[in-house]
Short mmCIF file of all heavy atoms in Angstrom, two decimals:
data_model
loop_
_atom_site.label_atom_id
_atom_site.label_comp_id
_atom_site.label_asym_id
_atom_site.label_seq_id
_atom_site.Cartn_x
_atom_site.Cartn_y
_atom_site.Cartn_z
N PRO J 7 168.34 41.51 -10.90
CA PRO J 7 168.68 42.92 -11.13
C PRO J 7 168.15 43.47 -12.45
O PRO J 7 167.77 44.63 -12.54
CB PRO J 7 170.21 42.93 -11.09
CG PRO J 7 170.55 41.81 -10.16
CD PRO J 7 169.54 40.74 -10.46
N TRP J 8 168.10 42.62 -13.49
CA TRP J 8 167.62 43.11 -14.78
C TRP J 8 166.15 43.49 -14.73
O TRP J 8 165.71 44.41 -15.44
CB TRP J 8 167.90 42.11 -15.90
CG TRP J 8 167.16 40.80 -15.84
CD1 TRP J 8 167.63 39.63 -15.36
CD2 TRP J 8 165.83 40.52 -16.32
NE1 TRP J 8 166.69 38.63 -15.48
CE2 TRP J 8 165.58 39.15 -16.07
CE3 TRP J 8 164.84 41.29 -16.93
CZ2 TRP J 8 164.37 38.54 -16.40
CZ3 TRP J 8 163.63 40.68 -17.27
CH2 TRP J 8 163.40 39.33 -17.00
N VAL J 9 165.38 42.82 -13.87
CA VAL J 9 163.97 43.18 -13.70
C VAL J 9 163.86 44.55 -13.04
O VAL J 9 163.02 45.38 -13.43
CB VAL J 9 163.22 42.12 -12.86
CG1 VAL J 9 161.76 42.53 -12.66
CG2 VAL J 9 163.29 40.75 -13.53
N VAL J 10 164.72 44.79 -12.06
CA VAL J 10 164.75 46.10 -11.39
C VAL J 10 165.05 47.20 -12.41
O VAL J 10 164.35 48.23 -12.46
CB VAL J 10 165.81 46.12 -10.27
CG1 VAL J 10 165.88 47.50 -9.62
CG2 VAL J 10 165.51 45.06 -9.23
N ARG J 11 166.07 46.99 -13.21
CA ARG J 11 166.48 47.99 -14.21
C ARG J 11 165.36 48.24 -15.22
O ARG J 11 165.08 49.37 -15.61
CB ARG J 11 167.73 47.50 -14.94
CG ARG J 11 168.96 47.44 -14.07
CD ARG J 11 169.66 48.78 -14.00
NE ARG J 11 170.13 49.20 -15.31
CZ ARG J 11 169.93 50.39 -15.84
NH1 ARG J 11 169.21 51.29 -15.17
NH2 ARG J 11 170.42 50.71 -17.02
N LEU J 12 164.69 47.16 -15.64
CA LEU J 12 163.63 47.26 -16.64
C LEU J 12 162.43 48.02 -16.08
O LEU J 12 161.88 48.92 -16.74
CB LEU J 12 163.22 45.86 -17.08
CG LEU J 12 162.36 45.74 -18.34
CD1 LEU J 12 163.07 46.38 -19.53
CD2 LEU J 12 162.07 44.27 -18.62
N ARG J 13 162.02 47.68 -14.87
CA ARG J 13 160.87 48.37 -14.27
C ARG J 13 161.17 49.84 -14.02
O ARG J 13 160.30 50.70 -14.23
CB ARG J 13 160.48 47.68 -12.96
CG ARG J 13 159.85 46.31 -13.14
CD ARG J 13 159.31 45.78 -11.82
NE ARG J 13 158.71 44.46 -11.99
CZ ARG J 13 158.04 43.81 -11.03
NH1 ARG J 13 157.91 44.37 -9.84
NH2 ARG J 13 157.53 42.63 -11.25
N TYR J 14 162.37 50.12 -13.58
CA TYR J 14 162.75 51.51 -13.32
C TYR J 14 162.72 52.31 -14.63
O TYR J 14 162.19 53.44 -14.66
CB TYR J 14 164.15 51.57 -12.72
CG TYR J 14 164.60 52.98 -12.37
CD1 TYR J 14 164.31 53.53 -11.12
CD2 TYR J 14 165.31 53.76 -13.29
CE1 TYR J 14 164.71 54.82 -10.80
CE2 TYR J 14 165.70 55.04 -12.98
CZ TYR J 14 165.41 55.57 -11.73
OH TYR J 14 165.79 56.85 -11.43
N ALA J 15 163.26 51.75 -15.68
CA ALA J 15 163.27 52.44 -16.97
C ALA J 15 161.85 52.68 -17.46
O ALA J 15 161.55 53.75 -18.02
CB ALA J 15 164.05 51.61 -18.00
N TYR J 16 160.96 51.72 -17.24
CA TYR J 16 159.57 51.85 -17.67
C TYR J 16 158.88 52.96 -16.86
O TYR J 16 158.17 53.81 -17.44
CB TYR J 16 158.85 50.52 -17.47
CG TYR J 16 157.46 50.47 -18.05
CD1 TYR J 16 157.23 50.78 -19.38
CD2 TYR J 16 156.37 50.10 -17.26
CE1 TYR J 16 155.96 50.71 -19.93
CE2 TYR J 16 155.09 50.03 -17.79
CZ TYR J 16 154.88 50.34 -19.12
OH TYR J 16 153.62 50.30 -19.67
N ALA J 17 159.08 52.97 -15.55
CA ALA J 17 158.49 54.01 -14.71
C ALA J 17 158.99 55.39 -15.12
O ALA J 17 158.22 56.35 -15.22
CB ALA J 17 158.81 53.74 -13.24
N ASP J 18 160.28 55.49 -15.37
CA ASP J 18 160.88 56.76 -15.75
C ASP J 18 160.31 57.25 -17.09
O ASP J 18 160.02 58.44 -17.25
CB ASP J 18 162.40 56.60 -15.85
CG ASP J 18 163.11 57.90 -16.16
OD1 ASP J 18 162.98 58.85 -15.37
OD2 ASP J 18 163.80 57.97 -17.19
N LEU J 19 160.14 56.33 -18.01
CA LEU J 19 159.62 56.70 -19.33
C LEU J 19 158.15 57.12 -19.24
O LEU J 19 157.72 58.05 -19.92
CB LEU J 19 159.79 55.53 -20.29
CG LEU J 19 159.86 55.86 -21.79
CD1 LEU J 19 160.96 56.89 -22.06
CD2 LEU J 19 160.14 54.60 -22.59
N LEU J 20 157.39 56.43 -18.40
CA LEU J 20 155.99 56.81 -18.19
C LEU J 20 155.90 58.24 -17.65
O LEU J 20 155.04 59.03 -18.07
CB LEU J 20 155.31 55.85 -17.22
CG LEU J 20 154.94 54.46 -17.78
CD1 LEU J 20 154.58 53.52 -16.64
CD2 LEU J 20 153.77 54.57 -18.77
N LEU J 21 156.79 58.56 -16.73
CA LEU J 21 156.79 59.90 -16.15
C LEU J 21 157.13 60.94 -17.21
O LEU J 21 156.49 61.99 -17.30
CB LEU J 21 157.79 59.96 -14.99
CG LEU J 21 157.78 61.25 -14.16
CD1 LEU J 21 156.42 61.47 -13.50
CD2 LEU J 21 158.87 61.19 -13.09
N LYS J 22 158.13 60.64 -18.03
CA LYS J 22 158.52 61.56 -19.10
C LYS J 22 157.39 61.73 -20.12
O LYS J 22 157.27 62.78 -20.76
CB LYS J 22 159.78 61.06 -19.80
CG LYS J 22 161.04 61.16 -18.97
CD LYS J 22 162.23 60.58 -19.71
CE LYS J 22 163.51 60.69 -18.88
NZ LYS J 22 164.67 60.06 -19.57
N ALA J 23 156.57 60.70 -20.27
CA ALA J 23 155.46 60.74 -21.22
C ALA J 23 154.24 61.43 -20.62
O ALA J 23 153.20 61.52 -21.28
CB ALA J 23 155.11 59.32 -21.66
N GLY J 24 154.35 61.88 -19.38
CA GLY J 24 153.24 62.58 -18.74
C GLY J 24 152.21 61.68 -18.11
O GLY J 24 151.14 62.15 -17.69
N ARG J 25 152.50 60.40 -17.99
CA ARG J 25 151.56 59.44 -17.39
C ARG J 25 151.96 59.21 -15.93
O ARG J 25 152.45 58.16 -15.55
CB ARG J 25 151.54 58.16 -18.22
CG ARG J 25 150.97 58.42 -19.61
CD ARG J 25 151.31 57.37 -20.63
NE ARG J 25 150.84 56.03 -20.30
CZ ARG J 25 150.91 54.98 -21.13
NH1 ARG J 25 151.43 55.15 -22.35
NH2 ARG J 25 150.47 53.80 -20.77
N ARG J 26 151.73 60.22 -15.14
CA ARG J 26 152.24 60.30 -13.77
C ARG J 26 151.73 59.18 -12.86
O ARG J 26 152.50 58.55 -12.14
CB ARG J 26 151.86 61.66 -13.18
CG ARG J 26 152.43 61.95 -11.81
CD ARG J 26 151.87 63.25 -11.26
NE ARG J 26 152.47 63.60 -9.99
CZ ARG J 26 153.59 64.28 -9.86
NH1 ARG J 26 154.24 64.69 -10.93
NH2 ARG J 26 154.06 64.57 -8.66
N ASP J 27 150.42 58.93 -12.89
CA ASP J 27 149.86 57.91 -12.00
C ASP J 27 150.42 56.53 -12.31
O ASP J 27 150.74 55.75 -11.40
CB ASP J 27 148.33 57.89 -12.12
CG ASP J 27 147.69 59.13 -11.52
OD1 ASP J 27 148.37 59.84 -10.75
OD2 ASP J 27 146.51 59.40 -11.82
N GLU J 28 150.56 56.23 -13.60
CA GLU J 28 151.13 54.94 -13.99
C GLU J 28 152.61 54.88 -13.59
O GLU J 28 153.10 53.81 -13.19
CB GLU J 28 150.98 54.74 -15.49
CG GLU J 28 149.56 54.53 -15.96
CD GLU J 28 149.46 54.51 -17.46
OE1 GLU J 28 149.65 53.41 -18.05
OE2 GLU J 28 149.23 55.58 -18.05
N ALA J 29 153.30 56.01 -13.71
CA ALA J 29 154.71 56.05 -13.32
C ALA J 29 154.85 55.74 -11.84
O ALA J 29 155.73 54.96 -11.43
CB ALA J 29 155.30 57.42 -13.63
N ILE J 30 153.98 56.33 -11.02
CA ILE J 30 154.03 56.07 -9.57
C ILE J 30 153.80 54.59 -9.30
O ILE J 30 154.49 53.98 -8.46
CB ILE J 30 152.99 56.93 -8.84
CG1 ILE J 30 153.44 58.40 -8.84
CG2 ILE J 30 152.78 56.43 -7.41
CD1 ILE J 30 152.42 59.36 -8.25
N GLU J 31 152.84 54.00 -10.00
CA GLU J 31 152.57 52.56 -9.84
C GLU J 31 153.82 51.74 -10.14
O GLU J 31 154.17 50.82 -9.39
CB GLU J 31 151.43 52.13 -10.76
CG GLU J 31 151.19 50.63 -10.74
CD GLU J 31 150.25 50.16 -11.84
OE1 GLU J 31 149.60 51.01 -12.48
OE2 GLU J 31 150.19 48.93 -12.06
N TRP J 32 154.52 52.10 -11.22
CA TRP J 32 155.68 51.30 -11.61
C TRP J 32 156.91 51.61 -10.77
O TRP J 32 157.79 50.75 -10.62
CB TRP J 32 155.94 51.45 -13.10
CG TRP J 32 155.03 50.53 -13.85
CD1 TRP J 32 153.81 50.84 -14.40
CD2 TRP J 32 155.21 49.13 -14.04
NE1 TRP J 32 153.24 49.72 -14.94
CE2 TRP J 32 154.08 48.66 -14.75
CE3 TRP J 32 156.22 48.23 -13.72
CZ2 TRP J 32 153.93 47.32 -15.11
CZ3 TRP J 32 156.09 46.91 -14.08
CH2 TRP J 32 154.95 46.46 -14.77
N PHE J 33 156.99 52.78 -10.19
CA PHE J 33 158.06 53.01 -9.22
C PHE J 33 157.81 52.15 -7.99
O PHE J 33 158.75 51.61 -7.40
CB PHE J 33 158.15 54.49 -8.85
CG PHE J 33 158.97 55.32 -9.81
CD1 PHE J 33 158.45 56.45 -10.42
CD2 PHE J 33 160.29 54.97 -10.10
CE1 PHE J 33 159.20 57.20 -11.31
CE2 PHE J 33 161.06 55.72 -10.99
CZ PHE J 33 160.51 56.84 -11.60
N HIS J 34 156.54 52.00 -7.62
CA HIS J 34 156.20 51.10 -6.51
C HIS J 34 156.62 49.67 -6.86
O HIS J 34 157.20 48.95 -6.03
CB HIS J 34 154.69 51.14 -6.22
CG HIS J 34 154.29 52.18 -5.23
ND1 HIS J 34 154.64 52.12 -3.90
CD2 HIS J 34 153.54 53.30 -5.38
CE1 HIS J 34 154.15 53.17 -3.25
NE2 HIS J 34 153.47 53.91 -4.13
N ARG J 35 156.32 49.25 -8.08
CA ARG J 35 156.67 47.90 -8.51
C ARG J 35 158.19 47.71 -8.55
O ARG J 35 158.70 46.61 -8.31
CB ARG J 35 156.09 47.62 -9.90
CG ARG J 35 154.58 47.44 -9.92
CD ARG J 35 154.08 47.35 -11.36
NE ARG J 35 152.64 47.13 -11.43
CZ ARG J 35 152.07 45.96 -11.70
NH1 ARG J 35 152.82 44.89 -11.91
NH2 ARG J 35 150.76 45.85 -11.76
N THR J 36 158.90 48.78 -8.84
CA THR J 36 160.36 48.71 -8.84
C THR J 36 160.89 48.54 -7.43
O THR J 36 161.74 47.67 -7.16
CB THR J 36 160.96 49.98 -9.47
OG1 THR J 36 160.46 50.16 -10.79
CG2 THR J 36 162.49 49.88 -9.52
#
């Protein structure tokens, strides 16, 4: 579960930083 939480937080932060394509990749990884 901690990996899920970590990946989700990373994807969310990428999206907030305007890095949309990378965010989508990490939501997929989540």
Side-chain angles (χ1 to χ4, degrees):
W8 66 262
V9 178
V10 178
R11 293 275 297 131
L12 194 58
R13 290 188 180 187
Y14 182 88
Y16 188 55
D18 184 59
L19 204 55
L20 285 167
L21 187 61
K22 290 178 179 177
R25 294 161 60 173
R26 186 186 184 87
D27 290 343
E28 291 173 86
I30 288 175
E31 175 191 348
W32 279 95
F33 275 125
H34 271 293
R35 288 173 178 257
T36 303

